[in-house]
Amino acid sequence: MAAMSTLAILEFPDPRLRTRAAPVTVFDAALKQFVADMFETMYAANGVGLAATQVDVHRQVLVIDMSEGRNQPLVLINAGIVEKDGAQVYQEGCLSFPGLYADVTRALKVKVKAQDTDGREFLYEAEGPLAVAVQHEMDHLAGKVFVDYLSPLKRSMLLKRLEKQRKQAASA
Ligand code: GNR
Ligand code: NI
């Protein structure tokens, strides 16, 4: 395989984060290379997940690794939720909103149908934090971001904080 590289991550309010990803139809070496680059990018940024949308590739590819050892990579291609159950509140962050965190309510358990990099279909069940990550990444592929779930007041407070942090970073 060609050398891996890190990809640039789009940050809010980049309008490209609102793009809906199209299904993957070709399961070739270029797809495997892209998935490797997504993992490289996610690990370099200390993220637990990454959606292709965030690196400006509008195909239904997401990667997750929530393990302590950063050694349990999960890739879901063309993922669709087939079942969800319960509810949980979890404090979320996002690589496209550096430094921002907010509580979001999502399903506690999800069952998804997805494909691997060879196009083989499988079912994947997640619960708790892993289920949060799956839903967060699937949202990105639909052009949705976690602050969309907040009340207008909370969202505007959070986005003002992001602006302030950016100004401080720019003048430091
Ligand atoms: O790195 C990330 N951490 C995180 C924490 C709580 C809930 C969701 C996430 S996903 C995020 C990486 C990211 O932005 N993925 O899209
Ligand atoms: Ni995110």
mmCIF file with all atom_site columns, all heavy atoms in Angstrom, residues 49-51 54 93-97 136-137 140 145-146, ligand 2:
data_model
loop_
_atom_site.group_PDB
_atom_site.id
_atom_site.type_symbol
_atom_site.label_atom_id
_atom_site.label_alt_id
_atom_site.label_comp_id
_atom_site.label_asym_id
_atom_site.label_entity_id
_atom_site.label_seq_id
_atom_site.pdbx_PDB_ins_code
_atom_site.Cartn_x
_atom_site.Cartn_y
_atom_site.Cartn_z
_atom_site.occupancy
_atom_site.B_iso_or_equiv
_atom_site.pdbx_formal_charge
_atom_site.auth_seq_id
_atom_site.auth_comp_id
_atom_site.auth_asym_id
_atom_site.auth_atom_id
_atom_site.pdbx_PDB_model_num
ATOM   1   N  N   . GLY A 1 49  ? -13.287 9.153  16.354 1.00 0.00 ? 49  GLY A N   1
ATOM   2   C  CA  . GLY A 1 49  ? -14.041 8.833  15.149 1.00 0.00 ? 49  GLY A CA  1
ATOM   3   C  C   . GLY A 1 49  ? -13.767 9.885  14.087 1.00 0.00 ? 49  GLY A C   1
ATOM   4   O  O   . GLY A 1 49  ? -13.235 10.966 14.394 1.00 0.00 ? 49  GLY A O   1
ATOM   5   N  N   . LEU A 1 50  ? -14.091 9.544  12.856 1.00 0.00 ? 50  LEU A N   1
ATOM   6   C  CA  . LEU A 1 50  ? -13.943 10.513 11.758 1.00 0.00 ? 50  LEU A CA  1
ATOM   7   C  C   . LEU A 1 50  ? -14.877 10.086 10.624 1.00 0.00 ? 50  LEU A C   1
ATOM   8   O  O   . LEU A 1 50  ? -14.954 8.901  10.290 1.00 0.00 ? 50  LEU A O   1
ATOM   9   C  CB  . LEU A 1 50  ? -12.489 10.545 11.257 1.00 0.00 ? 50  LEU A CB  1
ATOM   10  C  CG  . LEU A 1 50  ? -12.137 11.633 10.240 1.00 0.00 ? 50  LEU A CG  1
ATOM   11  C  CD1 . LEU A 1 50  ? -12.145 13.023 10.875 1.00 0.00 ? 50  LEU A CD1 1
ATOM   12  C  CD2 . LEU A 1 50  ? -10.757 11.374 9.617  1.00 0.00 ? 50  LEU A CD2 1
ATOM   13  N  N   . ALA A 1 51  ? -15.559 11.055 10.053 1.00 0.00 ? 51  ALA A N   1
ATOM   14  C  CA  . ALA A 1 51  ? -16.426 10.797 8.904  1.00 0.00 ? 51  ALA A CA  1
ATOM   15  C  C   . ALA A 1 51  ? -15.778 11.418 7.666  1.00 0.00 ? 51  ALA A C   1
ATOM   16  O  O   . ALA A 1 51  ? -15.130 12.467 7.749  1.00 0.00 ? 51  ALA A O   1
ATOM   17  C  CB  . ALA A 1 51  ? -17.802 11.411 9.142  1.00 0.00 ? 51  ALA A CB  1
ATOM   18  N  N   . GLN A 1 54  ? -15.821 15.123 6.910  1.00 0.00 ? 54  GLN A N   1
ATOM   19  C  CA  . GLN A 1 54  ? -14.910 16.036 7.616  1.00 0.00 ? 54  GLN A CA  1
ATOM   20  C  C   . GLN A 1 54  ? -13.600 16.267 6.875  1.00 0.00 ? 54  GLN A C   1
ATOM   21  O  O   . GLN A 1 54  ? -12.895 17.237 7.157  1.00 0.00 ? 54  GLN A O   1
ATOM   22  C  CB  . GLN A 1 54  ? -14.618 15.501 9.021  1.00 0.00 ? 54  GLN A CB  1
ATOM   23  C  CG  . GLN A 1 54  ? -15.821 15.567 9.953  1.00 0.00 ? 54  GLN A CG  1
ATOM   24  C  CD  . GLN A 1 54  ? -15.515 14.937 11.284 1.00 0.00 ? 54  GLN A CD  1
ATOM   25  O  OE1 . GLN A 1 54  ? -15.486 13.716 11.410 1.00 0.00 ? 54  GLN A OE1 1
ATOM   26  N  NE2 . GLN A 1 54  ? -15.260 15.757 12.289 1.00 0.00 ? 54  GLN A NE2 1
ATOM   27  N  N   . GLY A 1 93  ? -17.774 15.892 21.751 1.00 0.00 ? 93  GLY A N   1
ATOM   28  C  CA  . GLY A 1 93  ? -16.874 16.860 21.141 1.00 0.00 ? 93  GLY A CA  1
ATOM   29  C  C   . GLY A 1 93  ? -16.824 16.527 19.673 1.00 0.00 ? 93  GLY A C   1
ATOM   30  O  O   . GLY A 1 93  ? -17.417 15.534 19.230 1.00 0.00 ? 93  GLY A O   1
ATOM   31  N  N   . CYS A 1 94  ? -16.131 17.339 18.889 1.00 0.00 ? 94  CYS A N   1
ATOM   32  C  CA  . CYS A 1 94  ? -16.051 17.079 17.455 1.00 0.00 ? 94  CYS A CA  1
ATOM   33  C  C   . CYS A 1 94  ? -14.796 17.740 16.912 1.00 0.00 ? 94  CYS A C   1
ATOM   34  O  O   . CYS A 1 94  ? -14.505 18.890 17.239 1.00 0.00 ? 94  CYS A O   1
ATOM   35  C  CB  . CYS A 1 94  ? -17.287 17.635 16.754 1.00 0.00 ? 94  CYS A CB  1
ATOM   36  S  SG  . CYS A 1 94  ? -17.302 17.325 14.973 1.00 0.00 ? 94  CYS A SG  1
ATOM   37  N  N   . LEU A 1 95  ? -14.066 17.026 16.084 1.00 0.00 ? 95  LEU A N   1
ATOM   38  C  CA  . LEU A 1 95  ? -12.831 17.568 15.513 1.00 0.00 ? 95  LEU A CA  1
ATOM   39  C  C   . LEU A 1 95  ? -13.117 18.781 14.614 1.00 0.00 ? 95  LEU A C   1
ATOM   40  O  O   . LEU A 1 95  ? -12.222 19.579 14.361 1.00 0.00 ? 95  LEU A O   1
ATOM   41  C  CB  . LEU A 1 95  ? -12.090 16.487 14.717 1.00 0.00 ? 95  LEU A CB  1
ATOM   42  C  CG  . LEU A 1 95  ? -11.547 15.319 15.570 1.00 0.00 ? 95  LEU A CG  1
ATOM   43  C  CD1 . LEU A 1 95  ? -11.014 14.211 14.670 1.00 0.00 ? 95  LEU A CD1 1
ATOM   44  C  CD2 . LEU A 1 95  ? -10.466 15.801 16.540 1.00 0.00 ? 95  LEU A CD2 1
ATOM   45  N  N   . SER A 1 96  ? -14.351 18.938 14.178 1.00 0.00 ? 96  SER A N   1
ATOM   46  C  CA  . SER A 1 96  ? -14.717 20.102 13.368 1.00 0.00 ? 96  SER A CA  1
ATOM   47  C  C   . SER A 1 96  ? -15.149 21.301 14.221 1.00 0.00 ? 96  SER A C   1
ATOM   48  O  O   . SER A 1 96  ? -15.450 22.373 13.683 1.00 0.00 ? 96  SER A O   1
ATOM   49  C  CB  . SER A 1 96  ? -15.841 19.723 12.384 1.00 0.00 ? 96  SER A CB  1
ATOM   50  O  OG  . SER A 1 96  ? -15.377 18.717 11.498 1.00 0.00 ? 96  SER A OG  1
ATOM   51  N  N   . PHE A 1 97  ? -15.170 21.101 15.565 1.00 0.00 ? 97  PHE A N   1
ATOM   52  C  CA  . PHE A 1 97  ? -15.473 22.164 16.531 1.00 0.00 ? 97  PHE A CA  1
ATOM   53  C  C   . PHE A 1 97  ? -14.432 22.104 17.645 1.00 0.00 ? 97  PHE A C   1
ATOM   54  O  O   . PHE A 1 97  ? -14.767 21.792 18.787 1.00 0.00 ? 97  PHE A O   1
ATOM   55  C  CB  . PHE A 1 97  ? -16.853 21.957 17.157 1.00 0.00 ? 97  PHE A CB  1
ATOM   56  C  CG  . PHE A 1 97  ? -18.009 22.057 16.212 1.00 0.00 ? 97  PHE A CG  1
ATOM   57  C  CD1 . PHE A 1 97  ? -18.302 21.002 15.346 1.00 0.00 ? 97  PHE A CD1 1
ATOM   58  C  CD2 . PHE A 1 97  ? -18.836 23.180 16.197 1.00 0.00 ? 97  PHE A CD2 1
ATOM   59  C  CE1 . PHE A 1 97  ? -19.390 21.073 14.479 1.00 0.00 ? 97  PHE A CE1 1
ATOM   60  C  CE2 . PHE A 1 97  ? -19.919 23.251 15.336 1.00 0.00 ? 97  PHE A CE2 1
ATOM   61  C  CZ  . PHE A 1 97  ? -20.192 22.208 14.478 1.00 0.00 ? 97  PHE A CZ  1
ATOM   62  N  N   . HIS A 1 136 ? -22.906 9.839  15.847 1.00 0.00 ? 136 HIS A N   1
ATOM   63  C  CA  . HIS A 1 136 ? -22.236 11.120 15.564 1.00 0.00 ? 136 HIS A CA  1
ATOM   64  C  C   . HIS A 1 136 ? -21.621 11.096 14.152 1.00 0.00 ? 136 HIS A C   1
ATOM   65  O  O   . HIS A 1 136 ? -21.776 12.051 13.388 1.00 0.00 ? 136 HIS A O   1
ATOM   66  C  CB  . HIS A 1 136 ? -21.179 11.365 16.647 1.00 0.00 ? 136 HIS A CB  1
ATOM   67  C  CG  . HIS A 1 136 ? -20.336 12.595 16.483 1.00 0.00 ? 136 HIS A CG  1
ATOM   68  N  ND1 . HIS A 1 136 ? -20.375 13.655 17.368 1.00 0.00 ? 136 HIS A ND1 1
ATOM   69  C  CD2 . HIS A 1 136 ? -19.411 12.935 15.550 1.00 0.00 ? 136 HIS A CD2 1
ATOM   70  C  CE1 . HIS A 1 136 ? -19.523 14.597 16.968 1.00 0.00 ? 136 HIS A CE1 1
ATOM   71  N  NE2 . HIS A 1 136 ? -18.912 14.179 15.873 1.00 0.00 ? 136 HIS A NE2 1
ATOM   72  N  N   . GLU A 1 137 ? -20.953 9.994  13.816 1.00 0.00 ? 137 GLU A N   1
ATOM   73  C  CA  . GLU A 1 137 ? -20.309 9.902  12.489 1.00 0.00 ? 137 GLU A CA  1
ATOM   74  C  C   . GLU A 1 137 ? -21.340 9.750  11.377 1.00 0.00 ? 137 GLU A C   1
ATOM   75  O  O   . GLU A 1 137 ? -21.180 10.339 10.300 1.00 0.00 ? 137 GLU A O   1
ATOM   76  C  CB  . GLU A 1 137 ? -19.318 8.739  12.436 1.00 0.00 ? 137 GLU A CB  1
ATOM   77  C  CG  . GLU A 1 137 ? -18.214 8.741  13.483 1.00 0.00 ? 137 GLU A CG  1
ATOM   78  C  CD  . GLU A 1 137 ? -17.526 10.069 13.699 1.00 0.00 ? 137 GLU A CD  1
ATOM   79  O  OE1 . GLU A 1 137 ? -17.565 10.931 12.794 1.00 0.00 ? 137 GLU A OE1 1
ATOM   80  O  OE2 . GLU A 1 137 ? -16.970 10.265 14.784 1.00 0.00 ? 137 GLU A OE2 1
ATOM   81  N  N   . HIS A 1 140 ? -22.615 13.138 10.467 1.00 0.00 ? 140 HIS A N   1
ATOM   82  C  CA  . HIS A 1 140 ? -21.723 13.903 9.579  1.00 0.00 ? 140 HIS A CA  1
ATOM   83  C  C   . HIS A 1 140 ? -21.985 13.549 8.119  1.00 0.00 ? 140 HIS A C   1
ATOM   84  O  O   . HIS A 1 140 ? -22.011 14.419 7.250  1.00 0.00 ? 140 HIS A O   1
ATOM   85  C  CB  . HIS A 1 140 ? -20.251 13.594 9.882  1.00 0.00 ? 140 HIS A CB  1
ATOM   86  C  CG  . HIS A 1 140 ? -19.660 14.395 11.000 1.00 0.00 ? 140 HIS A CG  1
ATOM   87  N  ND1 . HIS A 1 140 ? -19.613 15.767 10.994 1.00 0.00 ? 140 HIS A ND1 1
ATOM   88  C  CD2 . HIS A 1 140 ? -19.054 14.011 12.152 1.00 0.00 ? 140 HIS A CD2 1
ATOM   89  C  CE1 . HIS A 1 140 ? -19.005 16.195 12.104 1.00 0.00 ? 140 HIS A CE1 1
ATOM   90  N  NE2 . HIS A 1 140 ? -18.654 15.147 12.830 1.00 0.00 ? 140 HIS A NE2 1
ATOM   91  N  N   . VAL A 1 145 ? -24.412 18.054 12.267 1.00 0.00 ? 145 VAL A N   1
ATOM   92  C  CA  . VAL A 1 145 ? -23.367 18.165 13.299 1.00 0.00 ? 145 VAL A CA  1
ATOM   93  C  C   . VAL A 1 145 ? -23.994 18.242 14.686 1.00 0.00 ? 145 VAL A C   1
ATOM   94  O  O   . VAL A 1 145 ? -25.182 18.569 14.812 1.00 0.00 ? 145 VAL A O   1
ATOM   95  C  CB  . VAL A 1 145 ? -22.448 19.381 13.046 1.00 0.00 ? 145 VAL A CB  1
ATOM   96  C  CG1 . VAL A 1 145 ? -21.591 19.152 11.806 1.00 0.00 ? 145 VAL A CG1 1
ATOM   97  C  CG2 . VAL A 1 145 ? -23.254 20.662 12.935 1.00 0.00 ? 145 VAL A CG2 1
ATOM   98  N  N   . PHE A 1 146 ? -23.210 17.934 15.730 1.00 0.00 ? 146 PHE A N   1
ATOM   99  C  CA  . PHE A 1 146 ? -23.795 17.749 17.064 1.00 0.00 ? 146 PHE A CA  1
ATOM   100 C  C   . PHE A 1 146 ? -24.466 18.995 17.624 1.00 0.00 ? 146 PHE A C   1
ATOM   101 O  O   . PHE A 1 146 ? -25.433 18.875 18.370 1.00 0.00 ? 146 PHE A O   1
ATOM   102 C  CB  . PHE A 1 146 ? -22.775 17.139 18.038 1.00 0.00 ? 146 PHE A CB  1
ATOM   103 C  CG  . PHE A 1 146 ? -21.744 18.088 18.609 1.00 0.00 ? 146 PHE A CG  1
ATOM   104 C  CD1 . PHE A 1 146 ? -21.628 18.282 19.977 1.00 0.00 ? 146 PHE A CD1 1
ATOM   105 C  CD2 . PHE A 1 146 ? -20.865 18.777 17.784 1.00 0.00 ? 146 PHE A CD2 1
ATOM   106 C  CE1 . PHE A 1 146 ? -20.680 19.132 20.519 1.00 0.00 ? 146 PHE A CE1 1
ATOM   107 C  CE2 . PHE A 1 146 ? -19.910 19.641 18.320 1.00 0.00 ? 146 PHE A CE2 1
ATOM   108 C  CZ  . PHE A 1 146 ? -19.818 19.826 19.676 1.00 0.00 ? 146 PHE A CZ  1
HETATM 109 NI NI  . NI  B 2 .   ? -17.509 15.062 14.612 1.00 0.00 ? 2   NI  B NI  1
#
